[in-house]
Amino acid sequence: MSQRPNPLPRLYCWRTNLVHIPVLAVITAVCGSVSLLVSFFDKSGRAQQRIARLWARGVVWGAGCRITVRGAENLHKCPVAVYASNHTSYMDTPVVFAALPFQFRILAKKELWPIAFIGWYLDRSGQIPINTANPRATLSSLGVGVKALRSGMPLFVFPEGARTTTGNLQSFLSGAAYLAIRAQVPLVPIALSGVYDLLPIHTRHLYPGELTVTVGEPIQTAGMTVRQTDELTEKLRTAIGELHGQPVPVESERVVSLA
């Protein structure tokens, strides 16, 4: 996928307004409504997950893109794990749902819950809201995540906590590493490429192209303690940077620790 031009040609702006947005709105409304209805009968969440994956594939298609998954074999090496990727765009979530072939739960910012259809799905399907501005609420949410992992449910986390403004990796919050260590499950690094150029932060017009999901080798946490959370967080950040083909400089600001 070529780098997004700036300014974006008017053809892409008009195509987004007249084609992509109406198609994505219809797909989201239909799948969100069906998922809401199904949630009253399916307590396991499996049917909702399948609907979410159908929605995600529809959104990727409706955005004029296709996804290539590299290292897909690493998705099947662990029955339960914490999966973590860089956060580049609002389109990251459908890309992740389209790429991961199993049921999982996500830790997402609580601000998404009031959004129609998306918030309904998040609430009814058992996703976990997290308030990064409140340390006590964050720890409570992480406790829910640990219980989910111990019950056999994989989790997905965006450890940056917010979308990047440049396309480059930001500092990582330590929640993903904390969850993996507390539950003693592997931490699987994932790098998303092309999604930033598709829809960067503070934009609303799409630049369609090839999207790539690269899955790395699981990072084992057996025997680690929460005192090693920051160490594991930096290991995760380095792994995602290498998968993404980005150098990962040592930053002056410390990783935010929840231990």
Side-chain angles (χ1 to χ4, degrees), residues 31-52:
C31 290
S33 298
V34 173
S35 179
L36 180 62
L37 290 174
V38 167
S39 70
F40 292 102
F41 308 99
D42 172 39
K43 301 304 180 183
S44 69
R46 291 190 184 92
Q48 292 183 78
Q49 184 80 27
R50 286 194 286 269
I51 294 168

Side-chain angles (χ1 to χ4, degrees), residues 41 90 92 115 193 245:
F41 308 99
Y90 272 137
D92 290 344
I115 300 175
S193 302

Side-chain angles (χ1 to χ4, degrees), residues 28 105 139 141 246:
T28 300
R105 298 289 183 265
L139 282 172
S141 298
Q246 279 186 17

Side-chain angles (χ1 to χ4, degrees), residues 85-93 107-112 130-133 156-175 192 196 199-202 237 240 256:
S85 86
N86 54 322
H87 198 5
T88 64
S89 168
Y90 272 137
M91 294 296 288
D92 290 344
T93 298
L107 266 71
K109 298 179 85 170
K110 69 170 188 176
E111 289 84 358
L112 295 175
I130 189 165
N131 181 0
T132 55
F156 182 88
V157 183
F158 289 116
E160 290 169 285
R163 292 168 292 159
T164 176
T165 58
T166 63
N168 297 323
L169 284 179
Q170 307 173 93
S171 297
F172 277 22
L173 299 171
S174 59
L192 306 181
Y196 175 79
L199 187 67
I201 191 171
H202 302 316
R237 186 169 181 269
I240 292 177
V256 178

